[in-house]
């Protein structure tokens, strides 16, 4: 029953953001869907939220974090990241065999999708940042790929003014340190873009040290 409900939400999102429609049409369909979910307090998993955010980012649609829908989405971030790790996963990935990789893809996708967030005041940033920090903490340290990390860093810039953002940044940096993948130019660009407005601190300095080391070690980046 739970898997059926999850697939139903995913299908509704896909229908509301179908390709070929203009961004205004997509926004209208998505907003109508979200208004209905907000009215009925429909529970969303982090997988649902990641799907929503990524679709909006791809279509160039902004999701304001204010008003009834914004408050609803912020509440869903809180609730979705308080549950056990398995509940982060999409139904098709929720088997034990999926392990931590399924959860990582969901968390990374949610962070990447933050590019679609707009009208996000300090309170909203604190709530979303704290929620996603919990989600990152719930994933294995050694299983993130450069692709996962590149996407996650790309989207965190919207949270740069929150008090929790340095902790979230630190969680991602630790996983970058542990990552064994070769860093490429796109990964460097996405990471630097995501932190471009972060204030100086130990997490940011560790990130730059780690990037410097990984760039020197990478066979995919030429320094000449």
């Amino acid at each position: 029953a739970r898997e059926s409900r999850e697939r139903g939400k995913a299908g509704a999102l896909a229908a509301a953001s179908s390709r070929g429609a203009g961004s205004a049409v997509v926004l209208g369909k998505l907003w109508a869907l979200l208004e209905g979910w907000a009215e009925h307090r429909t529970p969303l998993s982090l997988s649902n939220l990641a799907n929503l955010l990524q679709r909006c980012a791809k279509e160039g649609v902004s999701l304001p974090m204010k008003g009834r829908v914004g408050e609803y989405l912020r509440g869903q971030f809180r609730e979705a990241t308080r549950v056990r790790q398995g509940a982060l996963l999409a139904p098709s990935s929720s088997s034990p065999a999926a392990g931590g990789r399924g959860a990582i893809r969901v968390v990374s996708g949610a962070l990447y999708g933050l590019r679609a967030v707009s009208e996000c005041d300090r309170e909203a940033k604190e709530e979303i940042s704290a929620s996603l920090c919990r989600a990152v903490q719930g994933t294995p340290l050694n299983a993130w790929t450069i692709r996962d990390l590149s996407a996650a860093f790309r989207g965190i810039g919207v949270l740069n003014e929150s008090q929790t953002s340095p902790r979230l940044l630190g969680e991602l940096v630790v996983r970058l340190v542990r990552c064994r993948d070769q860093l490429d130019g796109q990964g460097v660009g996405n990471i630097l873009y995501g932190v471009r407005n972060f204030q100086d601190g130990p997490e940011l300095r560790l990130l730059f040290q780690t990037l410097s080391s990984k760039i020197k070690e990478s066979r995919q980046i030429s320094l000449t």
Side-chain angles (χ1 to χ4, degrees), residues 21-51:
S23 60
V25 174
V26 172
L27 177 59
K29 290 182 176 180
L30 280 173
W31 206 252
L33 178 65
L34 292 173
E35 285 276 8
W37 284 353
E39 181 179 355
H40 296 96
R41 309 307 297 173
T42 303
L44 300 178
S45 67
L46 190 58
S47 180
N48 296 142
L49 290 164
N51 187 8

PDB file of all heavy atoms in Angstrom, residues 21-51:
ATOM      1  N   ALA A  21       5.788  21.459 -22.116  1.00  0.00           N
ATOM      2  CA  ALA A  21       4.976  22.570 -21.629  1.00  0.00           C
ATOM      3  C   ALA A  21       5.886  23.721 -21.216  1.00  0.00           C
ATOM      4  O   ALA A  21       7.018  23.510 -20.796  1.00  0.00           O
ATOM      5  CB  ALA A  21       4.128  22.118 -20.440  1.00  0.00           C
ATOM      6  N   GLY A  22       5.397  24.942 -21.325  1.00  0.00           N
ATOM      7  CA  GLY A  22       6.169  26.091 -20.879  1.00  0.00           C
ATOM      8  C   GLY A  22       6.263  26.126 -19.369  1.00  0.00           C
ATOM      9  O   GLY A  22       5.479  25.480 -18.663  1.00  0.00           O
ATOM     10  N   SER A  23       7.228  26.895 -18.857  1.00  0.00           N
ATOM     11  CA  SER A  23       7.437  26.933 -17.409  1.00  0.00           C
ATOM     12  C   SER A  23       6.213  27.464 -16.675  1.00  0.00           C
ATOM     13  O   SER A  23       5.912  27.024 -15.566  1.00  0.00           O
ATOM     14  CB  SER A  23       8.655  27.798 -17.079  1.00  0.00           C
ATOM     15  OG  SER A  23       8.475  29.125 -17.539  1.00  0.00           O
ATOM     16  N   ALA A  24       5.473  28.389 -17.293  1.00  0.00           N
ATOM     17  CA  ALA A  24       4.274  28.919 -16.640  1.00  0.00           C
ATOM     18  C   ALA A  24       3.206  27.829 -16.502  1.00  0.00           C
ATOM     19  O   ALA A  24       2.518  27.735 -15.478  1.00  0.00           O
ATOM     20  CB  ALA A  24       3.716  30.098 -17.443  1.00  0.00           C
ATOM     21  N   VAL A  25       3.068  26.996 -17.533  1.00  0.00           N
ATOM     22  CA  VAL A  25       2.097  25.907 -17.483  1.00  0.00           C
ATOM     23  C   VAL A  25       2.510  24.885 -16.432  1.00  0.00           C
ATOM     24  O   VAL A  25       1.692  24.407 -15.634  1.00  0.00           O
ATOM     25  CB  VAL A  25       1.973  25.234 -18.865  1.00  0.00           C
ATOM     26  CG1 VAL A  25       1.074  24.001 -18.784  1.00  0.00           C
ATOM     27  CG2 VAL A  25       1.431  26.218 -19.890  1.00  0.00           C
ATOM     28  N   VAL A  26       3.799  24.543 -16.438  1.00  0.00           N
ATOM     29  CA  VAL A  26       4.315  23.581 -15.457  1.00  0.00           C
ATOM     30  C   VAL A  26       4.103  24.102 -14.046  1.00  0.00           C
ATOM     31  O   VAL A  26       3.649  23.370 -13.151  1.00  0.00           O
ATOM     32  CB  VAL A  26       5.811  23.296 -15.697  1.00  0.00           C
ATOM     33  CG1 VAL A  26       6.396  22.453 -14.558  1.00  0.00           C
ATOM     34  CG2 VAL A  26       6.007  22.574 -17.023  1.00  0.00           C
ATOM     35  N   LEU A  27       4.417  25.385 -13.835  1.00  0.00           N
ATOM     36  CA  LEU A  27       4.242  25.974 -12.511  1.00  0.00           C
ATOM     37  C   LEU A  27       2.774  25.906 -12.081  1.00  0.00           C
ATOM     38  O   LEU A  27       2.466  25.563 -10.942  1.00  0.00           O
ATOM     39  CB  LEU A  27       4.722  27.427 -12.501  1.00  0.00           C
ATOM     40  CG  LEU A  27       4.532  28.187 -11.185  1.00  0.00           C
ATOM     41  CD1 LEU A  27       5.272  27.484 -10.052  1.00  0.00           C
ATOM     42  CD2 LEU A  27       5.011  29.628 -11.316  1.00  0.00           C
ATOM     43  N   GLY A  28       1.857  26.213 -13.000  1.00  0.00           N
ATOM     44  CA  GLY A  28       0.441  26.165 -12.666  1.00  0.00           C
ATOM     45  C   GLY A  28      -0.005  24.768 -12.262  1.00  0.00           C
ATOM     46  O   GLY A  28      -0.725  24.602 -11.270  1.00  0.00           O
ATOM     47  N   LYS A  29       0.431  23.759 -13.015  1.00  0.00           N
ATOM     48  CA  LYS A  29       0.058  22.378 -12.704  1.00  0.00           C
ATOM     49  C   LYS A  29       0.663  21.924 -11.381  1.00  0.00           C
ATOM     50  O   LYS A  29      -0.006  21.306 -10.549  1.00  0.00           O
ATOM     51  CB  LYS A  29       0.518  21.447 -13.831  1.00  0.00           C
ATOM     52  CG  LYS A  29      -0.257  21.607 -15.126  1.00  0.00           C
ATOM     53  CD  LYS A  29       0.243  20.616 -16.168  1.00  0.00           C
ATOM     54  CE  LYS A  29      -0.569  20.682 -17.451  1.00  0.00           C
ATOM     55  NZ  LYS A  29      -0.073  19.725 -18.465  1.00  0.00           N
ATOM     56  N   LEU A  30       1.950  22.229 -11.196  1.00  0.00           N
ATOM     57  CA  LEU A  30       2.604  21.836  -9.955  1.00  0.00           C
ATOM     58  C   LEU A  30       1.978  22.524  -8.755  1.00  0.00           C
ATOM     59  O   LEU A  30       1.780  21.907  -7.704  1.00  0.00           O
ATOM     60  CB  LEU A  30       4.104  22.162 -10.017  1.00  0.00           C
ATOM     61  CG  LEU A  30       5.007  21.196 -10.764  1.00  0.00           C
ATOM     62  CD1 LEU A  30       6.411  21.766 -10.877  1.00  0.00           C
ATOM     63  CD2 LEU A  30       5.046  19.837 -10.071  1.00  0.00           C
ATOM     64  N   TRP A  31       1.666  23.798  -8.929  1.00  0.00           N
ATOM     65  CA  TRP A  31       1.109  24.560  -7.803  1.00  0.00           C
ATOM     66  C   TRP A  31      -0.258  24.025  -7.413  1.00  0.00           C
ATOM     67  O   TRP A  31      -0.577  23.920  -6.223  1.00  0.00           O
ATOM     68  CB  TRP A  31       1.034  26.047  -8.146  1.00  0.00           C
ATOM     69  CG  TRP A  31       1.087  26.897  -6.914  1.00  0.00           C
ATOM     70  CD1 TRP A  31       0.079  27.609  -6.342  1.00  0.00           C
ATOM     71  CD2 TRP A  31       2.226  27.088  -6.074  1.00  0.00           C
ATOM     72  NE1 TRP A  31       0.517  28.240  -5.209  1.00  0.00           N
ATOM     73  CE2 TRP A  31       1.826  27.946  -5.018  1.00  0.00           C
ATOM     74  CE3 TRP A  31       3.541  26.640  -6.117  1.00  0.00           C
ATOM     75  CZ2 TRP A  31       2.699  28.346  -4.005  1.00  0.00           C
ATOM     76  CZ3 TRP A  31       4.422  27.043  -5.109  1.00  0.00           C
ATOM     77  CH2 TRP A  31       3.986  27.879  -4.076  1.00  0.00           C
ATOM     78  N   ALA A  32      -1.053  23.665  -8.409  1.00  0.00           N
ATOM     79  CA  ALA A  32      -2.364  23.091  -8.116  1.00  0.00           C
ATOM     80  C   ALA A  32      -2.214  21.764  -7.374  1.00  0.00           C
ATOM     81  O   ALA A  32      -2.953  21.480  -6.414  1.00  0.00           O
ATOM     82  CB  ALA A  32      -3.147  22.879  -9.413  1.00  0.00           C
ATOM     83  N   LEU A  33      -1.244  20.954  -7.803  1.00  0.00           N
ATOM     84  CA  LEU A  33      -0.988  19.681  -7.135  1.00  0.00           C
ATOM     85  C   LEU A  33      -0.530  19.903  -5.699  1.00  0.00           C
ATOM     86  O   LEU A  33      -1.033  19.271  -4.759  1.00  0.00           O
ATOM     87  CB  LEU A  33       0.079  18.902  -7.916  1.00  0.00           C
ATOM     88  CG  LEU A  33       0.517  17.552  -7.341  1.00  0.00           C
ATOM     89  CD1 LEU A  33      -0.634  16.561  -7.350  1.00  0.00           C
ATOM     90  CD2 LEU A  33       1.701  17.000  -8.140  1.00  0.00           C
ATOM     91  N   LEU A  34       0.406  20.836  -5.512  1.00  0.00           N
ATOM     92  CA  LEU A  34       0.939  21.102  -4.175  1.00  0.00           C
ATOM     93  C   LEU A  34      -0.097  21.732  -3.263  1.00  0.00           C
ATOM     94  O   LEU A  34      -0.118  21.466  -2.057  1.00  0.00           O
ATOM     95  CB  LEU A  34       2.179  21.995  -4.278  1.00  0.00           C
ATOM     96  CG  LEU A  34       3.406  21.344  -4.918  1.00  0.00           C
ATOM     97  CD1 LEU A  34       4.517  22.370  -5.116  1.00  0.00           C
ATOM     98  CD2 LEU A  34       3.908  20.178  -4.084  1.00  0.00           C
ATOM     99  N   GLU A  35      -0.966  22.573  -3.820  1.00  0.00           N
ATOM    100  CA  GLU A  35      -2.042  23.161  -3.019  1.00  0.00           C
ATOM    101  C   GLU A  35      -2.938  22.068  -2.457  1.00  0.00           C
ATOM    102  O   GLU A  35      -3.348  22.102  -1.293  1.00  0.00           O
ATOM    103  CB  GLU A  35      -2.868  24.134  -3.873  1.00  0.00           C
ATOM    104  CG  GLU A  35      -2.197  25.469  -4.148  1.00  0.00           C
ATOM    105  CD  GLU A  35      -2.398  26.453  -3.010  1.00  0.00           C
ATOM    106  OE1 GLU A  35      -2.922  26.051  -1.947  1.00  0.00           O
ATOM    107  OE2 GLU A  35      -2.021  27.628  -3.179  1.00  0.00           O
ATOM    108  N   GLY A  36      -3.249  21.077  -3.290  1.00  0.00           N
ATOM    109  CA  GLY A  36      -4.072  19.971  -2.832  1.00  0.00           C
ATOM    110  C   GLY A  36      -3.379  19.140  -1.767  1.00  0.00           C
ATOM    111  O   GLY A  36      -3.984  18.775  -0.749  1.00  0.00           O
ATOM    112  N   TRP A  37      -2.102  18.859  -1.983  1.00  0.00           N
ATOM    113  CA  TRP A  37      -1.342  18.097  -0.984  1.00  0.00           C
ATOM    114  C   TRP A  37      -1.234  18.869   0.323  1.00  0.00           C
ATOM    115  O   TRP A  37      -1.336  18.294   1.410  1.00  0.00           O
ATOM    116  CB  TRP A  37       0.042  17.765  -1.525  1.00  0.00           C
ATOM    117  CG  TRP A  37       0.044  16.657  -2.542  1.00  0.00           C
ATOM    118  CD1 TRP A  37      -1.009  15.871  -2.890  1.00  0.00           C
ATOM    119  CD2 TRP A  37       1.151  16.221  -3.325  1.00  0.00           C
ATOM    120  NE1 TRP A  37      -0.630  14.968  -3.855  1.00  0.00           N
ATOM    121  CE2 TRP A  37       0.678  15.149  -4.137  1.00  0.00           C
ATOM    122  CE3 TRP A  37       2.474  16.614  -3.442  1.00  0.00           C
ATOM    123  CZ2 TRP A  37       1.510  14.467  -5.038  1.00  0.00           C
ATOM    124  CZ3 TRP A  37       3.309  15.956  -4.334  1.00  0.00           C
ATOM    125  CH2 TRP A  37       2.830  14.888  -5.117  1.00  0.00           C
ATOM    126  N   ALA A  38      -1.002  20.184   0.216  1.00  0.00           N
ATOM    127  CA  ALA A  38      -0.879  20.999   1.426  1.00  0.00           C
ATOM    128  C   ALA A  38      -2.190  21.022   2.200  1.00  0.00           C
ATOM    129  O   ALA A  38      -2.208  20.938   3.435  1.00  0.00           O
ATOM    130  CB  ALA A  38      -0.444  22.414   1.057  1.00  0.00           C
ATOM    131  N   GLU A  39      -3.302  21.130   1.479  1.00  0.00           N
ATOM    132  CA  GLU A  39      -4.608  21.176   2.130  1.00  0.00           C
ATOM    133  C   GLU A  39      -4.885  19.895   2.910  1.00  0.00           C
ATOM    134  O   GLU A  39      -5.437  19.927   4.014  1.00  0.00           O
ATOM    135  CB  GLU A  39      -5.699  21.398   1.093  1.00  0.00           C
ATOM    136  CG  GLU A  39      -7.102  21.494   1.687  1.00  0.00           C
ATOM    137  CD  GLU A  39      -8.156  21.743   0.642  1.00  0.00           C
ATOM    138  OE1 GLU A  39      -7.809  21.930  -0.547  1.00  0.00           O
ATOM    139  OE2 GLU A  39      -9.353  21.763   1.012  1.00  0.00           O
ATOM    140  N   HIS A  40      -4.485  18.765   2.362  1.00  0.00           N
ATOM    141  CA  HIS A  40      -4.754  17.473   2.997  1.00  0.00           C
ATOM    142  C   HIS A  40      -3.566  16.972   3.822  1.00  0.00           C
ATOM    143  O   HIS A  40      -3.611  15.858   4.353  1.00  0.00           O
ATOM    144  CB  HIS A  40      -5.120  16.434   1.935  1.00  0.00           C
ATOM    145  CG  HIS A  40      -6.390  16.743   1.205  1.00  0.00           C
ATOM    146  ND1 HIS A  40      -6.414  17.396  -0.012  1.00  0.00           N
ATOM    147  CD2 HIS A  40      -7.688  16.517   1.543  1.00  0.00           C
ATOM    148  CE1 HIS A  40      -7.678  17.544  -0.400  1.00  0.00           C
ATOM    149  NE2 HIS A  40      -8.465  17.028   0.525  1.00  0.00           N
ATOM    150  N   ARG A  41      -2.521  17.799   3.930  1.00  0.00           N
ATOM    151  CA  ARG A  41      -1.315  17.433   4.690  1.00  0.00           C
ATOM    152  C   ARG A  41      -0.788  16.072   4.236  1.00  0.00           C
ATOM    153  O   ARG A  41      -0.436  15.199   5.040  1.00  0.00           O
ATOM    154  CB  ARG A  41      -1.596  17.417   6.201  1.00  0.00           C
ATOM    155  CG  ARG A  41      -2.248  18.652   6.750  1.00  0.00           C
ATOM    156  CD  ARG A  41      -1.520  19.925   6.397  1.00  0.00           C
ATOM    157  NE  ARG A  41      -0.164  19.969   6.964  1.00  0.00           N
ATOM    158  CZ  ARG A  41       0.724  20.939   6.685  1.00  0.00           C
ATOM    159  NH1 ARG A  41       0.404  21.899   5.836  1.00  0.00           N
ATOM    160  NH2 ARG A  41       1.916  20.914   7.241  1.00  0.00           N
ATOM    161  N   THR A  42      -0.720  15.891   2.944  1.00  0.00           N
ATOM    162  CA  THR A  42      -0.244  14.630   2.374  1.00  0.00           C
ATOM    163  C   THR A  42       1.226  14.432   2.730  1.00  0.00           C
ATOM    164  O   THR A  42       2.058  15.285   2.432  1.00  0.00           O
ATOM    165  CB  THR A  42      -0.390  14.639   0.838  1.00  0.00           C
ATOM    166  OG1 THR A  42      -1.758  14.875   0.518  1.00  0.00           O
ATOM    167  CG2 THR A  42       0.079  13.331   0.239  1.00  0.00           C
ATOM    168  N   PRO A  43       1.588  13.326   3.387  1.00  0.00           N
ATOM    169  CA  PRO A  43       2.992  13.111   3.764  1.00  0.00           C
ATOM    170  C   PRO A  43       3.852  12.795   2.543  1.00  0.00           C
ATOM    171  O   PRO A  43       3.452  12.027   1.662  1.00  0.00           O
ATOM    172  CB  PRO A  43       2.920  11.907   4.714  1.00  0.00           C
ATOM    173  CG  PRO A  43       1.674  11.187   4.333  1.00  0.00           C
ATOM    174  CD  PRO A  43       0.708  12.231   3.866  1.00  0.00           C
ATOM    175  N   LEU A  44       5.022  13.410   2.485  1.00  0.00           N
ATOM    176  CA  LEU A  44       5.971  13.179   1.397  1.00  0.00           C
ATOM    177  C   LEU A  44       7.261  12.585   1.955  1.00  0.00           C
ATOM    178  O   LEU A  44       7.752  13.030   2.988  1.00  0.00           O
ATOM    179  CB  LEU A  44       6.291  14.487   0.667  1.00  0.00           C
ATOM    180  CG  LEU A  44       5.132  15.226   0.000  1.00  0.00           C
ATOM    181  CD1 LEU A  44       5.639  16.515  -0.634  1.00  0.00           C
ATOM    182  CD2 LEU A  44       4.447  14.355  -1.041  1.00  0.00           C
ATOM    183  N   SER A  45       7.809  11.617   1.253  1.00  0.00           N
ATOM    184  CA  SER A  45       9.138  11.106   1.606  1.00  0.00           C
ATOM    185  C   SER A  45      10.188  12.058   1.050  1.00  0.00           C
ATOM    186  O   SER A  45       9.892  12.926   0.215  1.00  0.00           O
ATOM    187  CB  SER A  45       9.342   9.707   1.013  1.00  0.00           C
ATOM    188  OG  SER A  45       9.397   9.793  -0.404  1.00  0.00           O
ATOM    189  N   LEU A  46      11.425  11.909   1.490  1.00  0.00           N
ATOM    190  CA  LEU A  46      12.490  12.738   0.937  1.00  0.00           C
ATOM    191  C   LEU A  46      12.680  12.431  -0.541  1.00  0.00           C
ATOM    192  O   LEU A  46      13.068  13.303  -1.324  1.00  0.00           O
ATOM    193  CB  LEU A  46      13.801  12.515   1.703  1.00  0.00           C
ATOM    194  CG  LEU A  46      14.923  13.500   1.359  1.00  0.00           C
ATOM    195  CD1 LEU A  46      14.497  14.936   1.606  1.00  0.00           C
ATOM    196  CD2 LEU A  46      16.183  13.193   2.159  1.00  0.00           C
ATOM    197  N   SER A  47      12.384  11.208  -0.936  1.00  0.00           N
ATOM    198  CA  SER A  47      12.445  10.857  -2.351  1.00  0.00           C
ATOM    199  C   SER A  47      11.443  11.681  -3.156  1.00  0.00           C
ATOM    200  O   SER A  47      11.756  12.186  -4.237  1.00  0.00           O
ATOM    201  CB  SER A  47      12.170   9.360  -2.532  1.00  0.00           C
ATOM    202  OG  SER A  47      12.221   8.996  -3.892  1.00  0.00           O
ATOM    203  N   ASN A  48      10.208  11.836  -2.627  1.00  0.00           N
ATOM    204  CA  ASN A  48       9.214  12.684  -3.284  1.00  0.00           C
ATOM    205  C   ASN A  48       9.708  14.124  -3.398  1.00  0.00           C
ATOM    206  O   ASN A  48       9.573  14.761  -4.442  1.00  0.00           O
ATOM    207  CB  ASN A  48       7.900  12.689  -2.508  1.00  0.00           C
ATOM    208  CG  ASN A  48       7.203  11.353  -2.428  1.00  0.00           C
ATOM    209  OD1 ASN A  48       6.626  11.022  -1.400  1.00  0.00           O
ATOM    210  ND2 ASN A  48       7.245  10.563  -3.493  1.00  0.00           N
ATOM    211  N   LEU A  49      10.264  14.638  -2.303  1.00  0.00           N
ATOM    212  CA  LEU A  49      10.747  16.024  -2.290  1.00  0.00           C
ATOM    213  C   LEU A  49      11.898  16.215  -3.269  1.00  0.00           C
ATOM    214  O   LEU A  49      11.955  17.223  -3.980  1.00  0.00           O
ATOM    215  CB  LEU A  49      11.180  16.402  -0.871  1.00  0.00           C
ATOM    216  CG  LEU A  49      10.040  16.549   0.143  1.00  0.00           C
ATOM    217  CD1 LEU A  49      10.591  16.542   1.572  1.00  0.00           C
ATOM    218  CD2 LEU A  49       9.227  17.809  -0.116  1.00  0.00           C
ATOM    219  N   ALA A  50      12.823  15.252  -3.311  1.00  0.00           N
ATOM    220  CA  ALA A  50      13.948  15.334  -4.248  1.00  0.00           C
ATOM    221  C   ALA A  50      13.441  15.330  -5.687  1.00  0.00           C
ATOM    222  O   ALA A  50      13.909  16.102  -6.534  1.00  0.00           O
ATOM    223  CB  ALA A  50      14.909  14.175  -4.013  1.00  0.00           C
ATOM    224  N   ASN A  51      12.468  14.473  -5.959  1.00  0.00           N
ATOM    225  CA  ASN A  51      11.878  14.390  -7.294  1.00  0.00           C
ATOM    226  C   ASN A  51      11.241  15.723  -7.682  1.00  0.00           C
ATOM    227  O   ASN A  51      11.443  16.242  -8.788  1.00  0.00           O
ATOM    228  CB  ASN A  51      10.836  13.269  -7.298  1.00  0.00           C
ATOM    229  CG  ASN A  51      10.281  12.968  -8.678  1.00  0.00           C
ATOM    230  OD1 ASN A  51      10.752  13.482  -9.682  1.00  0.00           O
ATOM    231  ND2 ASN A  51       9.265  12.124  -8.725  1.00  0.00           N
TER     232      ASN A  51
END
